[in-house]
Amino acid sequence: MKISIRRSRRAAIAVALGSVLALTATACGDDGSGAGGDKGNEGSGKGEITFWDNNGGVRTDVWKVIIADFHAANPDIKVKYVGIPSESVQSKYDTAIQGGGLPDVGGVGAAMLAGIAAQNALEPLDARLTGSSLNGKLTPGMIDSVRSAGGGDELFTVPTSANNGTLWYRTDLFEAAKLEPPTTWSKFYAAADKLTDADNNKFGYTIRGGEGSIAQALDAMYGQSGITSFWKDTKTTVNDPKNVEALEKYAALYKKDTPAADVNNDFKKMVAQWDSGDIGMLSHNLGSYQDHLKALEGKFRGIPNPTQDDGTRVQVSNPVDGLGMFKSSKNKTAAWKFIEFAASHESNSKWNEAAGAIPSNTEAAKDPWIQAAEATKLAAESLNSGTIKIVQLPYYLPDWNTISKADNEPNLQKVLLKKMSAKEFLDTLADQLNAAQAEWNEQMG
């Protein structure tokens, strides 16, 4: 399958040129093997392999435990761990694909999968999985999601976890204000207003205005509008009048019921602010559960995103995370052993318990900690209920990650600051998505 990746390659080249000095130490042979398209080889199945964690820092501790377990079971293989912050992992991969230094194994979420696979950097894993102890033990829906995100034909990552949009709220503040849980959008907006006392630095909500803001905004839009498909014929529905109205209402929370600093907040700042302050609600995925548990034990809950007043639940799809093997690896046999170990019952359960995410391994998904972690349990039940409407985001578009991040995050900030209308923002986003989809359709024939 050949996919046009003009924008993806331009972005990669720009990153490579702009970052070459900063990345020389970490993007060359020191932390990995060859460049995208290098064939690599199977290797001896022994020696050292390099693993890039795509959420370094946040998940470093649990990966170190899993790697230590792997070393104990495989003393002839050494895994070199390199933690890459989630906000910079895309540019790190793009730079290494162009200039060399790719790892043997890397964390690759569905949102960035198409762009990396389109550059011929990832090894297809179908045959390895079929002959593996993992065969038949991974959730079919997650397999389908990563296959679709990679273009639909081949499996380029072994899924490790699924996430879900979650509304975290302070139970102590809600009880003091005699508010019901924010299970519907009406109750959400009412609570945001009632819990705000700006003069005393108390707010009902914290909105994500910095890096990663587009996905959260889309979730709020489609959840309120009730539109259940990202495409209508060949055009996107993001700028449907119902979505424009929904974004207008959501963005109006900024500085009225949220802190002014939110316009620049990425998820780390947003989560830290919620955990330490007097803010009623936070929209984030299951991944911040452990942070809340440490800071607010007994004072919070995490529930699936609000429904409409009639109980209809619509949400956008959340990327499935996974582990990919790079074609340039010089020791694919050892790399596969590590992937297989990391996605096995025990390791997959450890990782997802630490992250508060939904395991891909079907045996891990039955472990007792899921029943004890209410937010994860409710998310899994919601996703498996049969009544939820999922708006499938087009992760398969090679340009999706660029369009949904760098190209439009600054414009969403303008919407919050009232320097751009919601309609103008969504029309711009729609034009880019429609062009990317047309290009995809042309290439797919």
Side-chain angles (χ1 to χ4, degrees):
M1 177 181 62
K2 294 183 178 179
I3 304 170
S4 173
I5 54 166
R6 291 190 297 270
R7 284 167 53 96
S8 297
R9 286 200 182 279
R10 284 200 300 270
I13 291 168
V15 169
L17 290 174
S19 308
V20 64
L21 292 177
L23 293 174
T24 296
T26 57
C28 294
D30 217 22
D31 279 349
S33 48
D38 290 358
K39 292 181 179 180
N41 57 64
E42 290 298 313
S44 66
K46 300 178 181 180
E48 183 176 276
I49 59 170
T50 298
F51 165 57
W52 284 7
D53 173 11
N54 59 335
N55 200 0
V58 178
R59 301 286 171 248
T60 295
D61 289 345
V62 68
W63 272 121
K64 286 188 174 180
V65 170
I66 292 169
I67 290 169
D69 291 344
F70 178 77
H71 286 160
N74 298 272
D76 293 333
I77 303 173
K78 175 178 171 56
V79 178
K80 181 178 181 181
Y81 172 88
V82 180
I84 314 293
S86 60
E87 59 269 23
S88 58
V89 70
Q90 174 82 54
S91 62
K92 182 78 182 272
Y93 278 135
D94 284 340
T95 301
I97 288 169
Q98 296 296 321
L102 283 167
D104 299 277
V105 177
V108 181
M112 70 178 73
L113 179 56
I116 296 174
Q119 296 179 73
N120 199 31
L122 289 166
E123 179 89 357
L125 299 174
D126 298 85
R128 295 179 196 269
L129 181 59
T130 299
S132 162
S133 60
L134 293 175
N135 192 32
K137 295 183 179 180
L138 299 177
T139 302
M142 295 193 203
I143 292 282
D144 292 344
S145 292
V146 295
R147 193 184 298 280
S148 174
D153 290 341
E154 296 176 301
L155 185 72
F156 289 111
T157 63
V158 168
T160 53
S161 67
N163 225 315
N164 200 51
T166 300
L167 182 61
W168 304 96
Y169 72 97
R170 289 279 299 272
T171 51
D172 55 338
L173 300 183
F174 270 69
E175 288 168 7
K178 295 181 170 55
L179 285 165
E180 294 181 20
T183 53
T184 68
W185 285 104
S186 296
K187 292 176 181 177
F188 164 81
Y189 281 109
D193 276 337
K194 189 167 184 179
L195 293 173
T196 296
D197 180 2
D199 291 339
N200 290 304
N201 203 35
K202 296 180 179 181
F203 298 94
Y205 186 60
T206 175
I207 199 167
R208 188 168 182 170
E211 196 159 9
S213 59
I214 302 296
Q216 181 175 304
L218 291 174
D219 223 359
M221 285 162 42
Y222 281 94
Q224 293 174 82
S225 72
I227 296 170
T228 59
S229 176
F230 196 77
W231 302 103
K232 185 176 181 180
D233 298 324
T234 60
K235 303 296 183 183
T236 181
T237 57
V238 292
N239 60 339
D240 183 284
K242 290 182 179 179
N243 275 334
V244 173
E245 181 183 357
L247 182 59
E248 288 171 345
K249 187 172 184 179
Y250 185 71
L253 290 169
Y254 175 65
K255 286 183 74 173
K256 178 172 77 75
D257 293 329
T258 80
D262 281 2
V263 71
N264 293 313
N265 278 358
D266 60 11
F267 88 90
K268 293 179 183 177
K269 294 176 183 175
M270 184 177 67
V271 167
Q273 177 178 264
W274 191 70
D275 285 344
S276 63
D278 293 315
I279 298 174
M281 296 177 289
L282 161 76
S283 292
H284 191 240
N285 57 44
L286 294 166
S288 52
Y289 172 70
Q290 292 295 337
D291 295 314
H292 309 326
L293 195 62
K294 292 174 185 174
L296 301 168
E297 185 173 2
K299 297 180 181 179
F300 76 98
R301 282 187 75 203
I303 60 176
N305 282 344
T307 69
Q308 296 180 353
D309 288 342
D310 65 1
T312 301
R313 187 186 305 282
V314 179
Q315 68 179 58
V316 300
S317 56
N318 278 266
V320 174
D321 207 1
L323 295 173
M325 180 194 302
F326 286 86
K327 279 188 175 180
S328 56
S329 172
K330 302 299 190 293
N331 199 343
K332 294 177 184 177
T333 301
W336 176 252
K337 285 182 181 178
F338 178 64
I339 292 174
E340 191 175 33
F341 185 89
S344 67
H345 178 178
E346 185 177 350
S347 298
N348 192 243
S349 188
K350 282 182 181 178
W351 193 97
N352 282 281
E353 183 175 10
I358 302 168
S360 63
N361 188 293
T362 54
E363 295 172 336
K366 297 174 184 176
D367 284 350
W369 68 265
I370 293 239
Q371 301 304 312
E374 185 195 31
T376 305
K377 179 185 176 183
L378 291 175
E381 288 175 351
S382 175
L383 288 175
N384 296 322
S385 67
T387 61
I388 190 171
K389 303 291 193 296
I390 303 290
V391 179
Q392 295 292 340
L393 299 181
Y395 301 123
Y396 58 83
L397 292 176
D399 291 339
W400 167 252
N401 222 31
T402 303
I403 292 172
S404 64
K405 292 183 180 292
D407 281 2
N408 284 287
E409 286 174 350
N411 283 345
L412 184 56
Q413 289 180 317
K414 291 179 183 178
V415 174
L416 297 179
L417 295 167
K418 296 180 171 58
K419 295 180 179 179
M420 176 182 279
S421 71
K423 185 178 187 305
E424 184 182 357
F425 163 71
L426 291 175
D427 283 346
T428 300
L429 178 60
D431 286 345
Q432 294 172 343
L433 288 165
N434 290 337
Q437 179 71 6
E439 185 177 4
W440 168 264
N441 289 339
E442 180 183 350
Q443 293 299 318
M444 295 299 289

